[in-house]
Amino acid sequence: MELWTIGAFAKASRLSPKALRLYDELGLLTPARVDPATGYRLYAPEQLDRARLVAWLRRLGMPLTGIRHVCELEAGPAAREVRAFWAGVEADVVARRDLAGFLVEHLSRRDSAMTTPTRPLGVRYAALSDTGLVRPTNQDTAYAGPHLLAVADGYGTAGAEAGAAAVDALKHLETAGIPADGLLNVLEDAVEQAKQAVHGVTGADSAEAGGTTLTAMLWTGAHLALVHIGDSRAYLRRDGELFQVTQDHTIVQSMVDEGRITPEEGASHPQRSLLLKALGHDTDATPDLRLRDARRGDRYLLCSDGLSTIVPPEQIHRVLAETPDPGRAVRELVALADDSGSPDNVSCVVADIVEPCEQT
């Protein structure tokens, strides 16, 4: 068998001799033979496929430990590992893109127009949480106040405590004030406090104890800052249309985003409740952050998946469009879920952006 020198093999595999020496030391790509007299590494032609795979995976940015694992697998499992790695990369890119967008918004608004709005608006709100018709207990928490709107959907054995702890950790924002020029830091600190509060009630090492989703809005008088993690949702009704303004952090939603299944298939997928992000153990707790301008006439809905997965969007929209009073609106939304069987807890917060004189 004719062996190639390290130079010839490097050229054929598009890997540098330096990289080949490193991969030999790491056990990723061991030469077929090492000359005992000169120490030169010699490679067999059949090693070329593995070398090219290593090169491609490096260009993807896969860590060396991951490359070693992929190289040890058969083709099918290896392909699944590469797909899973790339899905993680895309999720990270999306998270960084969203953070970049938030920073652009945040920095663009750090001016007098934000700190001293010429026409501050008010908010009317109502919150309701219901056990539903099937679950024995309610693990949801819904809260609405002058500056904070929040829905949390707990899971696991301590789910109810986790959801309540996450929301309670934000309530100091009702009276602490929200500085316009430090909003990003306020949001990050608030989520970290909520995360620590959840860990405090679920235990440091108990994944079975669970965690919670959290979708919350902080009201500054001219702007709404959104914090979101998990699969609870925020909707906006504006100019006669209903928009979902959050993205579900679920495995199924990631499959939809990748084009592997359709949204219709995702709605009935058996794993649609498996979370990629949450405030809990062994999960990514990096939230989505948004900053939204307040506009008179806007109506926001925050809800747990006990509403959004069972009541069609057109029915939700109908209630929001036809029911002016927020208190009545949340009652009707919960009733819709009950009429559909309410297999889960149901929580809703409805908030209307109004002139100050219309708040009461």
Side-chain angles (χ1 to χ4, degrees):
M1 178 179 64
E2 181 182 357
L3 299 180
W4 293 356
T5 66
I6 191 171
F9 193 75
K11 184 176 181 180
S13 64
R14 298 185 179 87
L15 290 167
S16 69
K18 180 179 179 180
L20 288 173
R21 286 190 287 270
L22 172 63
Y23 298 156
D24 178 16
E25 294 170 3
L26 295 174
L28 269 177
L29 194 59
T30 303
R33 180 171 171 272
V34 178
D35 189 293
T38 64
Y40 288 166
R41 293 170 171 86
L42 300 171
Y43 295 84
E46 55 266 28
Q47 291 183 282
L48 194 57
D49 283 346
R50 183 183 178 104
R52 285 174 173 165
L53 176 59
V54 170
W56 290 331
L57 294 174
R58 286 297 287 163
R59 284 200 289 272
L60 274 181
M62 183 176 285
L64 293 174
T65 53
I67 294 175
R68 181 184 293 109
H69 177 58
V70 169
C71 287
E72 292 170 353
L73 298 174
E74 297 294 330
R80 288 192 288 272
E81 285 295 317
V82 173
R83 183 184 297 117
F85 168 75
W86 190 247
V89 171
E90 289 183 324
D92 181 61
V93 169
V94 169
R96 286 187 287 155
R97 180 201 66 195
D98 290 345
L99 180 56
F102 178 87
L103 283 168
V104 169
E105 287 184 321
H106 176 68
L107 295 172
S108 298
R109 297 167 191 271
R110 288 181 63 178
D111 55 22
S112 59
M114 182 172 183
T115 57
T116 56
T118 57
R119 191 180 180 88
L121 295 168
V123 60
R124 290 189 307 184
Y125 50 82
L128 182 62
S129 186
D130 185 77
T131 303
L133 304 179
V134 176
R135 295 287 180 89
T137 59
N138 190 356
Q139 293 187 306
D140 283 5
T141 299
Y143 174 83
H147 298 288
L148 175 67
L149 314 168
V151 165
D153 182 357
Y155 61 88
T157 58
E161 294 84 355
V167 174
D168 285 345
L170 304 184
K171 287 183 180 178
H172 71 279
L173 297 171
E174 289 279 26
T175 56
I178 306 171
D181 61 350
L183 187 55
L184 178 59
N185 293 332
V186 169
L187 293 176
E188 286 190 320
D189 290 346
V191 173
E192 182 60 29
Q193 291 164 10
K195 178 181 175 181
Q196 296 305 319
V198 169
H199 286 184
V201 298
T202 59
D205 301 313
S206 176
E208 293 77 13
T212 185
T213 70
L214 178 65
T215 301
M217 282 185 159
L218 305 178
W219 170 245
T220 69
H223 306 274
L224 284 164
L226 172 68
V227 180
H228 168 69
I229 186 165
D231 65 350
S232 297
R233 290 183 178 178
Y235 292 90
L236 166 65
R237 184 176 187 272
R238 174 180 284 181
D239 297 331
E241 295 187 55
L242 185 67
F243 306 93
Q244 182 180 332
V245 296
T246 54
Q247 181 87 343
D248 293 348
H249 297 144
T250 61
I251 290 175
V252 167
Q253 184 60 52
S254 70
M255 294 168 66
V256 172
D257 294 341
E258 295 166 17
R260 294 160 59 188
I261 61 174
T262 66
E264 292 74 22
E265 291 170 333
S268 58
H269 197 283
Q271 295 180 314
R272 62 185 178 275
S273 297
L274 293 181
L275 297 172
L276 288 175
K277 290 185 177 185
L279 296 179
H281 300 277
D282 301 323
T283 56
D284 184 356
T286 306
D288 293 342
L289 303 173
R290 297 285 190 280
L291 191 62
R292 305 189 64 87
D293 285 323
R295 183 189 298 182
R296 183 181 181 277
D298 283 351
R299 168 166 275 194
Y300 284 93
L301 166 67
L302 277 58
C303 65
S304 63
D305 67 338
L307 178 73
S308 60
T309 60
I310 193 170
V311 179
E314 57 271 17
Q315 293 188 34
I316 294 175
H317 189 194
R318 177 184 58 78
V319 170
L320 295 176
E322 297 177 359
T323 314
D325 177 62
R328 182 181 169 193
V330 295
R331 292 192 296 272
E332 290 197 13
L333 289 169
V334 169
L336 276 177
D338 285 344
D339 291 343
S340 300
S342 284
D344 198 356
N345 310 141
V346 187
S347 292
C348 305
V349 172
V350 171
D352 295 332
I353 307 303
V354 297
E355 297 289 346
C357 61
E358 300 176 286
Q359 282 186 264
T360 57

